[in-house]
Amino acid sequence: MQFIYPRSGGHDMLILNCPYCGIDADETDLHSGGQAHLKRETIGSQDTDFENYLFNRDNPMGVHFERWRHANGCGKWFLAARDTTTLEVFATYPAQTLKPPQAVVNAIKKKHPDWKGWP
Amino acid sequence: MRYSALKVFTQGLTGNKGWRPVWRNPDPKPEYDIVIIGGGGHGLSTAYYLAKKHGLKNIAVLEKGYIGGGNVGRNTTIVRANYFLPGNSEFYSHSMKLWEGLSQDLNFNVMLSQRGVISLFHSDGQRDAFVRRGNAMINQGDDAVLLDRDGLQKMLPYLDYDNGRFPIYGGLLHPRGATARHDGVAWGYARGADQRGVDLIQNCEVTGIDIVGGKVTGVQTTRGAIRAKKVGIVVAGRSGQVAEMAGMRLPIESHVLQAFVSEGLKPAIDHVISFGMGHFYISQSDKGGLVFGGDLDFYASYAQRGNLPRKEQVMEAAMTLMPMIGKAKVLRSWGGIMDMTPDGSPIIDKTGTDGLFIDCGWCYGGFKAVPGSGDAFAHLIATGQPHETARGFRLDRFRTGQGIMDEEGTGSQHNLH
């Protein structure tokens, strides 16, 4: 698996590197899909499970894992680790991962030792 | 001190030496009956109505910054009651009525200016939808006037009526729609609450919520522990963090919304104009600055500043709608953090914890709701029952699927409002 650590999004434009086509995509090329790594519920799940899956969100101030779509580009969904306060981008990585890869977690912890970490 | 024209006159004759700070700045007491977390517009109005309508004493409002320093002092000051859905309609109607008596009630001029809110439409289908909305507003007891193109052109001659993409077919006028002095609203409620014995505690950030056996017992703050029988959370964009202290996960994502002000200009725009198709709205402040804004930046942010693409889109929408403002210079722009719910409607409800209440999810429309939300939240905290105009704002509507209020009709999912 390949990890890409792009430069910071800066404060004028959020820029994420698409892990599929490899280009630095401006936010005008992208569509945000909200919180990543949600557990999908299905037949047999309880109402509260569906509520948690469909509606309730961690909404953290700081490190956030998100789904993004390279909408005006290659069209692929990918994931990003980002800071919602500084708008700093830690990493982008392919969507086919159930939890943040260890290398991404390490990269975040290196910059933010007080981050509580991935559960 | 009661404010009056005579007071201003006599103070003027005596060198304005008699003015005093309008609220105390007390240290927190070790215990209160009710603690309101959040000294914004909604928190202050909640405390005010708890004291005034329910006669309750021993209330504290905890504010992590200073009074009036949050979204209540950072919005575009629009007050309206042009909602369509049952649940929203009666609430905003009630809030509007409170606004109309607010300056007298608070003995503080909130400068409510009922200049009318005009929402533009650009197609036959949209006109039909606005006729329906207008009828819903009239049924609710509020006012609505449908303006055809000629009627609108007499009032707003400067719009680009023959725009190729969005030709203007007319507008829905809500004559009682208004703007207000946003700081004044915060100060007026703060003063009124303080006069009735509420402790407004500034620079006091809540760091924990104490829960024993499923019942709230108090809060931990940067100024020490405070015991409380009841706690209300009214913290807008920070709802996620404060609720997490009580072990809750909310149906809320925090997003940034930008706003803009131009240099001061001579009076040109007499109303609040809403150009929904361009996600753009504008009014002119009493100082002459054009106050305008657009859509969210559309990704999670606590940055309180927005990015350039949205600024560009807002400026383009402004030029599309009214090319005359092209030479006005933008003085400043800023961003505020919005607590976005999946259906775009707010929450005023109990939580799973005894004595803990929450008022949140106002999305980008919290300012007009300040009086109504305070009244409804105070009623809920004092009586344990929802206020009659706020029965629909339930926290569990996302679990049950019942009573979801998607005013925009865009879908009840995050990222769609």
Side-chain angles (χ1 to χ4, degrees):
Chain A
M1 195 180 286
Q2 180 193 2
F3 305 113
I4 299 156
Y5 303 101
R7 61 200 158 89
S8 159
H11 62 271
D12 296 334
M13 175 97 82
L14 180 68
I15 299 169
L16 299 176
N17 187 287
C18 174
Y20 294 100
C21 63
I23 69 163
D24 285 344
D26 292 348
E27 67 177 85
T28 47
D29 289 347
L30 300 166
H31 172 77
S32 171
Q35 187 180 335
H37 303 304
L38 293 169
K39 181 176 172 288
R40 190 188 175 102
E41 300 296 337
T42 181
I43 297 165
S45 298
Q46 300 300 306
D47 285 357
T48 47
D49 300 329
F50 273 107
E51 184 190 18
N52 266 320
Y53 164 51
L54 291 170
F55 300 118
N56 291 349
R57 295 292 179 260
D58 293 342
N59 200 20
M61 193 171 170
V63 179
H64 192 214
F65 299 96
E66 296 174 329
R67 301 166 72 234
W68 284 85
R69 183 167 180 252
H70 194 183
N72 295 325
C74 69
K76 293 287 191 190
W77 283 97
F78 63 94
L79 305 182
R82 210 166 57 81
D83 189 309
T84 57
T85 306
T86 62
L87 305 188
E88 175 184 16
V89 179
F90 302 113
T92 54
Y93 51 100
Q96 290 76 15
T97 50
L98 295 176
K99 59 178 188 172
Q102 195 56 44
V104 174
V105 170
N106 293 345
I108 298 168
K109 277 195 169 152
K110 199 172 166 189
K111 283 202 132 170
H112 296 272
D114 55 337
W115 175 51
K116 65 182 177 182
W118 179 254
Chain B
M1 179 195 295
R2 199 175 158 73
Y3 294 151
S4 64
L6 181 66
K7 197 60 122 181
V8 172
F9 183 70
T10 54
Q11 283 292 326
L13 291 178
T14 53
N16 283 312
K17 286 179 184 139
W19 302 116
R20 295 282 172 267
V22 297
W23 58 80
R24 301 162 292 129
N25 203 9
D27 289 323
K29 290 192 281 190
E31 179 162 8
Y32 290 93
D33 290 342
I34 300 172
V35 161
I36 303 297
I37 305 174
H42 292 235
L44 294 168
S45 63
T46 300
Y48 174 78
Y49 290 118
L50 277 170
K52 179 170 184 263
K53 281 193 155 180
H54 302 279
L56 296 171
K57 309 280 178 217
N58 205 19
I59 301 166
V61 176
L62 310 183
E63 166 55 43
K64 83 179 165 74
Y66 60 94
I67 297 296
N71 286 354
V72 72
R74 296 164 62 85
N75 58 74
T76 48
T77 79
I78 296 163
V79 175
R80 57 188 169 86
N82 57 355
Y83 280 70
F84 172 67
L85 291 181
N88 277 332
S89 193
E90 61 264 38
F91 173 81
Y92 290 102
S93 179
H94 174 60
S95 196
M96 176 57 94
K97 288 174 196 130
L98 291 176
W99 273 108
E100 286 170 332
L102 197 58
S103 292
Q104 287 75 21
D105 186 29
L106 295 175
N107 179 233
F108 196 103
N109 189 1
V110 299
M111 297 169 72
L112 186 77
S113 162
Q114 291 187 294
R115 57 187 66 187
V117 170
I118 299 174
S119 307
L120 305 175
F121 51 83
H122 313 271
S123 68
D124 291 335
Q126 222 189 347
R127 182 199 285 118
D128 290 349
F130 274 40
V131 168
R132 198 171 167 216
R133 176 177 294 269
N135 283 333
M137 290 158 64
I138 290 166
N139 283 342
Q140 182 57 48
D142 296 320
D143 57 346
V145 180
L146 194 77
L147 298 167
D148 63 6
R149 182 179 152 130
D150 289 345
L152 187 64
Q153 211 154 8
K154 285 197 185 83
M155 294 170 74
L156 312 175
Y158 44 78
L159 302 183
D160 180 7
Y161 285 82
D162 296 313
N163 183 280
R165 179 66 184 84
F166 295 118
I168 296 170
Y169 279 39
L172 182 66
L173 168 65
H174 170 36
R176 284 160 68 217
T179 61
R181 174 77 202 275
H182 49 2
D183 305 305
V185 176
W187 298 333
Y189 271 118
R191 172 171 169 267
D194 180 88
Q195 283 173 343
R196 286 166 178 78
V198 174
D199 280 1
L200 307 178
I201 300 162
Q202 306 181 74
N203 298 312
C204 180
E205 183 171 357
V206 170
T207 55
I209 297 175
D210 300 331
I211 298 166
V212 179
K215 189 177 178 354
V216 73
T217 59
V219 294
Q220 301 291 326
T221 77
T222 50
R223 298 180 68 178
I226 300 172
R227 291 193 301 280
K229 297 186 181 76
K230 293 178 181 176
V231 174
I233 302 173
V234 209
V235 293
R238 307 300 162 89
S239 295
Q241 284 79 58
V242 178
E244 194 183 3
M245 295 172 195
M248 294 166 69
R249 198 161 168 262
L250 295 175
I252 283 180
E253 277 186 7
S254 292
H255 286 249
V256 66
L257 179 71
Q258 303 194 56
F260 308 85
V261 172
S262 79
E263 61 190 326
L265 302 166
K266 288 187 177 178
I269 297 174
D270 301 329
H271 309 81
V272 178
I273 304 168
S274 166
F275 172 35
M277 295 312 287
H279 298 284
F280 175 81
Y281 62 93
I282 188 166
S283 66
Q284 189 167 16
S285 77
D286 294 340
K287 283 191 289 188
L290 303 176
V291 183
F292 56 99
D295 221 334
L296 297 170
D297 277 23
F298 271 111
Y299 49 87
S301 174
Y302 286 89
Q304 288 192 293
R305 56 181 162 74
N307 280 355
L308 281 175
R310 179 62 68 212
K311 291 185 179 67
E312 191 174 20
Q313 184 265 320
V314 169
M315 302 305 158
E316 284 171 358
M319 289 301 289
T320 302
L321 181 67
M322 44 177 79
M324 73 165 183
I325 71 171
K327 285 186 178 166
K329 292 177 180 64
V330 174
L331 273 193
R332 58 197 170 90
S333 72
W334 66 98
I337 307 307
M338 310 290 123
D339 36 338
M340 302 300 299
T341 55
D343 63 355
S345 292
I347 294 162
I348 303 179
D349 208 345
K350 299 175 185 176
T351 66
T353 303
D354 239 16
L356 184 66
F357 303 85
I358 191 156
D359 180 327
C360 64
W362 292 96
C363 301
Y364 30 66
F367 180 68
K368 63 182 161 302
V370 163
S373 164
D375 190 19
F377 199 36
H379 188 274
L380 177 70
I381 292 172
T383 67
Q385 298 298 319
H387 189 270
E388 58 177 350
T389 64
R391 288 183 193 283
F393 300 158
R394 295 175 63 111
L395 179 58
D396 69 359
R397 65 180 184 266
F398 302 104
R399 183 170 68 242
T400 62
Q402 234 175 6
I404 284 177
M405 281 186 286
D406 174 14
E407 182 81 26
E408 285 183 355
T410 47
S412 296
Q413 283 177 41
H414 287 293
N415 262 307
L416 294 181
H417 290 272

